[in-house]
Amino acid sequence: MPPLLRGLGFLLILLTSLTVGLMEHRANAEARTRMAQAKAQVNAVAEASGDGRGVDSIAREIRLLRLQLQEEDFADRVFENPWFQLLGALGTALVALSFLYEARAKWPRRNRPERSPPPPA
């Protein structure tokens, strides 16, 4: 029974991670496109000006940095997702329960001393 619980727990954690990761990846596609366009503009201006220190280049670099600051980190968005938190906690609880169940099965049974009847008064 414990290996089954561990397997189910890890499978739940894995499927939750994949599902939430794909959801966040799709939601972030537009931001990645804007970031790529801004980076291409910065590179084009830097190549055109030669030294890369033109006012336009600096303005585009600042816009690129602002876009990067506005875009949250992918891992942060995944970890903040309520479904990930709930199902991940459930999967972790299943794994922990499997270890507890296995440990409980392996613990030696303590024989409790039988109580002798109280002496007659």
Side-chain angles (χ1 to χ4, degrees):
M1 183 73 161
L4 175 65
L5 288 175
R6 271 194 292 273
L8 289 174
F10 284 129
L11 181 66
L12 182 62
I13 292 170
L14 176 68
L15 290 177
T16 302
S17 300
L18 287 174
T19 303
V20 172
L22 286 173
M23 287 171 29
E24 293 299 330
H25 180 73
R26 289 180 185 155
N28 197 30
E30 183 180 326
R32 283 193 316 273
T33 303
R34 283 184 292 151
M35 186 85 76
Q37 289 173 347
K39 191 177 278 191
Q41 287 177 350
V42 168
N43 291 340
V45 169
E47 288 177 7
S49 65
D51 59 2
R53 295 185 180 166
V55 176
D56 290 338
S57 174
I58 293 172
R60 285 195 174 93
E61 283 183 44
I62 290 173
R63 265 190 263 143
L64 179 63
L65 289 173
R66 284 183 182 163
L67 278 174
Q68 288 174 345
L69 288 175
Q70 288 174 357
E71 179 185 341
E72 293 179 57
D73 190 33
F74 176 76
D76 289 339
R77 286 193 317 273
V78 169
F79 290 138
E80 291 171 359
N81 187 304
W83 285 106
F84 178 81
Q85 291 176 357
L86 176 71
L87 294 175
L90 183 63
T92 304
L94 278 173
V95 172
L97 182 66
S98 75
F99 283 113
L100 267 161
Y101 185 74
E102 185 175 14
R104 182 74 174 140
K106 290 182 179 180
W107 284 339
R109 302 270 185 229
R110 293 184 187 166
N111 292 332
R112 296 185 181 183
E114 293 183 24
R115 291 188 182 175
S116 58

